[in-house]
Amino acid sequence: MSPTDAPVPPTGGDPLAPREAGASDAAVLLSARGLRKSFGANEVLRGIDFSVRRGEVVTLIGPSGSGKTTVLRSLNGLETPDAGTLEFDGGPAIDFARPASKGDRLAMRDRSAMVFQHHNLFPHMTVLENVVEGPIRVQRVPRAQALAEASALLERVGLAEKHDQYPHQLSGGQQQRVGIVRALALKPDLLLFDEPTSALDPELVGEVLKVITELADEGWTMVVVTHELQFAKQAADEVLFMDGGVIVERGAPEDIFTKPREERTRRFLDRILRPLD
């Protein structure tokens, strides 16, 4: 083992701790105003406004095609809105009325990390290599530090013994947990989850939701697109119900799930929550 590969203790404290832990929960981390996005003649987002405070979990629910994933991809710079603004931590707003610069997109990606439906792991890399790829190549973290922090993260989610295995050797739930660790390794301000359990067999859903719930309890700031309504009810600070490219209703989970104000929300919840005959 070369000196640069020698393990060293993780720096900066607990690698699973949220960046800038201890900041005021009242501080607005992200503010989105008037986001619009069209794909050809299909207007997917029609004026999206919401804010996320530090340490807050915001869940997006709604029918397929309502624009939820496009919202997430817009926050991470994977999609560029046609109009509207994004503001991180009270800094300069990114105004999409003008073409977003490369610097704007990089700034968005530096502040957030996304966990995808299908984990998107590199099949030719081991679990450990998948986790350290971003910190080493993108953030220029010293290799020894990245390896030590990745090992600690994998241990925290119960995957320490899997570090030298390849994605195809893991279960779907294990692969998704690696995807979560890969996002955490970037130490983002904001974690974005796009239907993180939708591609899993039912018996594997619980192990992934357990990790996400623990992250919420530890104070990570998250925006989660999910169809797991029980998770949204238990873990979210605010629920946004989307339909037709707009936020139809927003509120605390107990309000959205027990006394929704809007008829569209009630119809959606009745359809999803109605007991099977």
PDB file of all heavy atoms in Angstrom, residues 14-33:
ATOM      1  N   ASP A  14     -17.572  13.586  12.246  1.00  0.00           N
ATOM      2  CA  ASP A  14     -18.359  12.467  11.757  1.00  0.00           C
ATOM      3  C   ASP A  14     -18.680  12.654  10.282  1.00  0.00           C
ATOM      4  O   ASP A  14     -19.329  13.623   9.898  1.00  0.00           O
ATOM      5  CB  ASP A  14     -19.650  12.389  12.571  1.00  0.00           C
ATOM      6  CG  ASP A  14     -20.502  11.186  12.207  1.00  0.00           C
ATOM      7  OD1 ASP A  14     -20.166  10.491  11.237  1.00  0.00           O
ATOM      8  OD2 ASP A  14     -21.503  10.951  12.899  1.00  0.00           O
ATOM      9  N   PRO A  15     -18.255  11.703   9.394  1.00  0.00           N
ATOM     10  CA  PRO A  15     -18.541  11.872   7.969  1.00  0.00           C
ATOM     11  C   PRO A  15     -20.010  11.744   7.630  1.00  0.00           C
ATOM     12  O   PRO A  15     -20.422  12.062   6.529  1.00  0.00           O
ATOM     13  CB  PRO A  15     -17.732  10.732   7.315  1.00  0.00           C
ATOM     14  CG  PRO A  15     -17.595   9.702   8.383  1.00  0.00           C
ATOM     15  CD  PRO A  15     -17.495  10.474   9.673  1.00  0.00           C
ATOM     16  N   LEU A  16     -20.814  11.252   8.579  1.00  0.00           N
ATOM     17  CA  LEU A  16     -22.246  11.151   8.327  1.00  0.00           C
ATOM     18  C   LEU A  16     -23.006  12.343   8.881  1.00  0.00           C
ATOM     19  O   LEU A  16     -24.219  12.436   8.776  1.00  0.00           O
ATOM     20  CB  LEU A  16     -22.803   9.855   8.950  1.00  0.00           C
ATOM     21  CG  LEU A  16     -24.119   9.314   8.380  1.00  0.00           C
ATOM     22  CD1 LEU A  16     -24.010   9.098   6.889  1.00  0.00           C
ATOM     23  CD2 LEU A  16     -24.516   8.037   9.074  1.00  0.00           C
ATOM     24  N   ALA A  17     -22.280  13.307   9.460  1.00  0.00           N
ATOM     25  CA  ALA A  17     -22.947  14.497   9.995  1.00  0.00           C
ATOM     26  C   ALA A  17     -23.262  15.468   8.871  1.00  0.00           C
ATOM     27  O   ALA A  17     -22.482  15.619   7.932  1.00  0.00           O
ATOM     28  CB  ALA A  17     -22.051  15.182  11.027  1.00  0.00           C
ATOM     29  N   PRO A  18     -24.421  16.135   8.909  1.00  0.00           N
ATOM     30  CA  PRO A  18     -24.747  17.119   7.880  1.00  0.00           C
ATOM     31  C   PRO A  18     -23.716  18.235   7.834  1.00  0.00           C
ATOM     32  O   PRO A  18     -23.148  18.611   8.866  1.00  0.00           O
ATOM     33  CB  PRO A  18     -26.113  17.660   8.326  1.00  0.00           C
ATOM     34  CG  PRO A  18     -26.656  16.646   9.256  1.00  0.00           C
ATOM     35  CD  PRO A  18     -25.466  16.013   9.918  1.00  0.00           C
ATOM     36  N   ARG A  19     -23.462  18.751   6.654  1.00  0.00           N
ATOM     37  CA  ARG A  19     -22.570  19.895   6.519  1.00  0.00           C
ATOM     38  C   ARG A  19     -23.140  21.065   7.314  1.00  0.00           C
ATOM     39  O   ARG A  19     -24.342  21.315   7.302  1.00  0.00           O
ATOM     40  CB  ARG A  19     -22.429  20.295   5.044  1.00  0.00           C
ATOM     41  CG  ARG A  19     -21.400  21.404   4.823  1.00  0.00           C
ATOM     42  CD  ARG A  19     -21.467  21.944   3.427  1.00  0.00           C
ATOM     43  NE  ARG A  19     -20.979  21.004   2.428  1.00  0.00           N
ATOM     44  CZ  ARG A  19     -20.917  21.287   1.124  1.00  0.00           C
ATOM     45  NH1 ARG A  19     -21.321  22.455   0.680  1.00  0.00           N
ATOM     46  NH2 ARG A  19     -20.475  20.394   0.265  1.00  0.00           N
ATOM     47  N   GLU A  20     -22.251  21.777   8.018  1.00  0.00           N
ATOM     48  CA  GLU A  20     -22.638  22.930   8.837  1.00  0.00           C
ATOM     49  C   GLU A  20     -23.694  22.549   9.873  1.00  0.00           C
ATOM     50  O   GLU A  20     -24.643  23.275  10.123  1.00  0.00           O
ATOM     51  CB  GLU A  20     -23.150  24.086   7.973  1.00  0.00           C
ATOM     52  CG  GLU A  20     -22.093  24.618   7.014  1.00  0.00           C
ATOM     53  CD  GLU A  20     -22.592  25.806   6.220  1.00  0.00           C
ATOM     54  OE1 GLU A  20     -23.507  26.506   6.681  1.00  0.00           O
ATOM     55  OE2 GLU A  20     -22.056  26.026   5.132  1.00  0.00           O
ATOM     56  N   ALA A  21     -23.525  21.363  10.454  1.00  0.00           N
ATOM     57  CA  ALA A  21     -24.455  20.968  11.509  1.00  0.00           C
ATOM     58  C   ALA A  21     -24.436  22.005  12.620  1.00  0.00           C
ATOM     59  O   ALA A  21     -23.399  22.549  12.966  1.00  0.00           O
ATOM     60  CB  ALA A  21     -24.057  19.605  12.077  1.00  0.00           C
ATOM     61  N   GLY A  22     -25.584  22.275  13.188  1.00  0.00           N
ATOM     62  CA  GLY A  22     -25.686  23.263  14.244  1.00  0.00           C
ATOM     63  C   GLY A  22     -26.177  24.606  13.750  1.00  0.00           C
ATOM     64  O   GLY A  22     -26.478  25.487  14.533  1.00  0.00           O
ATOM     65  N   ALA A  23     -26.276  24.772  12.424  1.00  0.00           N
ATOM     66  CA  ALA A  23     -26.843  26.017  11.900  1.00  0.00           C
ATOM     67  C   ALA A  23     -28.307  26.099  12.309  1.00  0.00           C
ATOM     68  O   ALA A  23     -28.976  25.103  12.543  1.00  0.00           O
ATOM     69  CB  ALA A  23     -26.708  26.055  10.377  1.00  0.00           C
ATOM     70  N   SER A  24     -28.809  27.306  12.379  1.00  0.00           N
ATOM     71  CA  SER A  24     -30.192  27.506  12.826  1.00  0.00           C
ATOM     72  C   SER A  24     -31.168  26.792  11.910  1.00  0.00           C
ATOM     73  O   SER A  24     -31.093  26.881  10.687  1.00  0.00           O
ATOM     74  CB  SER A  24     -30.514  29.005  12.833  1.00  0.00           C
ATOM     75  OG  SER A  24     -31.896  29.197  13.025  1.00  0.00           O
ATOM     76  N   ASP A  25     -32.095  26.038  12.540  1.00  0.00           N
ATOM     77  CA  ASP A  25     -33.115  25.360  11.752  1.00  0.00           C
ATOM     78  C   ASP A  25     -34.016  26.353  11.028  1.00  0.00           C
ATOM     79  O   ASP A  25     -34.701  26.000  10.082  1.00  0.00           O
ATOM     80  CB  ASP A  25     -33.968  24.465  12.655  1.00  0.00           C
ATOM     81  CG  ASP A  25     -33.219  23.222  13.110  1.00  0.00           C
ATOM     82  OD1 ASP A  25     -32.191  22.924  12.497  1.00  0.00           O
ATOM     83  OD2 ASP A  25     -33.669  22.582  14.076  1.00  0.00           O
ATOM     84  N   ALA A  26     -34.035  27.603  11.503  1.00  0.00           N
ATOM     85  CA  ALA A  26     -34.900  28.604  10.890  1.00  0.00           C
ATOM     86  C   ALA A  26     -34.308  29.172   9.607  1.00  0.00           C
ATOM     87  O   ALA A  26     -34.987  29.853   8.858  1.00  0.00           O
ATOM     88  CB  ALA A  26     -35.164  29.737  11.872  1.00  0.00           C
ATOM     89  N   ALA A  27     -33.025  28.908   9.359  1.00  0.00           N
ATOM     90  CA  ALA A  27     -32.367  29.479   8.188  1.00  0.00           C
ATOM     91  C   ALA A  27     -32.857  28.795   6.919  1.00  0.00           C
ATOM     92  O   ALA A  27     -32.868  27.563   6.825  1.00  0.00           O
ATOM     93  CB  ALA A  27     -30.852  29.338   8.315  1.00  0.00           C
ATOM     94  N   VAL A  28     -33.265  29.581   5.936  1.00  0.00           N
ATOM     95  CA  VAL A  28     -33.702  29.031   4.652  1.00  0.00           C
ATOM     96  C   VAL A  28     -32.469  28.635   3.851  1.00  0.00           C
ATOM     97  O   VAL A  28     -31.600  29.464   3.573  1.00  0.00           O
ATOM     98  CB  VAL A  28     -34.549  30.048   3.867  1.00  0.00           C
ATOM     99  CG1 VAL A  28     -34.867  29.518   2.478  1.00  0.00           C
ATOM    100  CG2 VAL A  28     -35.838  30.352   4.623  1.00  0.00           C
ATOM    101  N   LEU A  29     -32.379  27.368   3.501  1.00  0.00           N
ATOM    102  CA  LEU A  29     -31.257  26.878   2.708  1.00  0.00           C
ATOM    103  C   LEU A  29     -31.518  27.066   1.216  1.00  0.00           C
ATOM    104  O   LEU A  29     -30.638  27.490   0.462  1.00  0.00           O
ATOM    105  CB  LEU A  29     -31.008  25.402   2.999  1.00  0.00           C
ATOM    106  CG  LEU A  29     -29.946  24.723   2.125  1.00  0.00           C
ATOM    107  CD1 LEU A  29     -28.574  25.351   2.343  1.00  0.00           C
ATOM    108  CD2 LEU A  29     -29.905  23.223   2.399  1.00  0.00           C
ATOM    109  N   LEU A  30     -32.732  26.759   0.781  1.00  0.00           N
ATOM    110  CA  LEU A  30     -33.067  26.796  -0.644  1.00  0.00           C
ATOM    111  C   LEU A  30     -34.393  27.507  -0.840  1.00  0.00           C
ATOM    112  O   LEU A  30     -35.365  27.237  -0.130  1.00  0.00           O
ATOM    113  CB  LEU A  30     -33.179  25.374  -1.201  1.00  0.00           C
ATOM    114  CG  LEU A  30     -33.762  25.244  -2.612  1.00  0.00           C
ATOM    115  CD1 LEU A  30     -32.761  25.746  -3.644  1.00  0.00           C
ATOM    116  CD2 LEU A  30     -34.163  23.811  -2.912  1.00  0.00           C
ATOM    117  N   SER A  31     -34.422  28.403  -1.818  1.00  0.00           N
ATOM    118  CA  SER A  31     -35.662  29.074  -2.190  1.00  0.00           C
ATOM    119  C   SER A  31     -35.840  28.974  -3.694  1.00  0.00           C
ATOM    120  O   SER A  31     -34.967  29.403  -4.463  1.00  0.00           O
ATOM    121  CB  SER A  31     -35.611  30.540  -1.753  1.00  0.00           C
ATOM    122  OG  SER A  31     -36.803  31.216  -2.128  1.00  0.00           O
ATOM    123  N   ALA A  32     -36.934  28.365  -4.120  1.00  0.00           N
ATOM    124  CA  ALA A  32     -37.273  28.241  -5.542  1.00  0.00           C
ATOM    125  C   ALA A  32     -38.481  29.114  -5.820  1.00  0.00           C
ATOM    126  O   ALA A  32     -39.477  29.052  -5.090  1.00  0.00           O
ATOM    127  CB  ALA A  32     -37.576  26.793  -5.903  1.00  0.00           C
ATOM    128  N   ARG A  33     -38.406  29.924  -6.866  1.00  0.00           N
ATOM    129  CA  ARG A  33     -39.495  30.845  -7.191  1.00  0.00           C
ATOM    130  C   ARG A  33     -39.792  30.806  -8.686  1.00  0.00           C
ATOM    131  O   ARG A  33     -38.902  31.009  -9.510  1.00  0.00           O
ATOM    132  CB  ARG A  33     -39.127  32.281  -6.789  1.00  0.00           C
ATOM    133  CG  ARG A  33     -38.979  32.481  -5.283  1.00  0.00           C
ATOM    134  CD  ARG A  33     -40.339  32.427  -4.595  1.00  0.00           C
ATOM    135  NE  ARG A  33     -40.225  32.528  -3.137  1.00  0.00           N
ATOM    136  CZ  ARG A  33     -40.191  31.500  -2.310  1.00  0.00           C
ATOM    137  NH1 ARG A  33     -40.257  30.269  -2.786  1.00  0.00           N
ATOM    138  NH2 ARG A  33     -40.103  31.680  -1.001  1.00  0.00           N
TER     139      ARG A  33
END
